[in-house]
Amino acid sequence: MSICVSVEEMTNAAAFVETVLAAQDPVFVMKDGREAIVSISPEAYESLLRKATRARLYDLVDCGLNDVQTGRTANAKSVTANLRAAYLD
């Protein structure tokens, strides 16, 4: 379950850091009754980064497989020759 704290509760930075590090879930900081920021532990942040990177990789692989299945491919030698002709001549 998420933890919510007010901006005023952040005046003691050391205590706030301990709250974030001890929490298993994100800590939401509220300002004027609305979420202002979300704090998570470094481990949770790294985990999110890994998941996002993996998701981007899977999307790129899916795009590449779709290109192969639909015939949107080119021979590397012909692509290289076309690039050389366009930019080196």
Side-chain angles (χ1 to χ4, degrees), residues 3-7 13 19 21 29-30 34 39-40 47 54-55 58 61-62 67 69-70 72 81-83 87:
I3 298 173
C4 295
V5 299
S6 68
V7 171
T19 299
L21 293 177
V29 178
M30 310 298 283
R34 298 175 56 187
S39 294
I40 57 176
S47 176
R54 189 177 302 118
Y58 289 159
V61 169
D62 285 342
D67 285 345
Q69 290 172 348
T70 57
R72 287 190 307 264
N82 289 341
L83 289 171
Y87 295 103

Side-chain angles (χ1 to χ4, degrees), residues 2-16:
S2 299
I3 298 173
C4 295
V5 299
S6 68
V7 171
E8 291 79 20
E9 291 178 71
M10 292 182 60
T11 56
N12 184 343
F16 179 73

Side-chain angles (χ1 to χ4, degrees), residues 47-61:
S47 176
L48 285 174
L49 283 180
R50 281 191 303 277
K51 289 176 184 175
T53 300
R54 189 177 302 118
R56 283 193 300 272
L57 175 62
Y58 289 159
D59 286 344
L60 290 171
V61 169

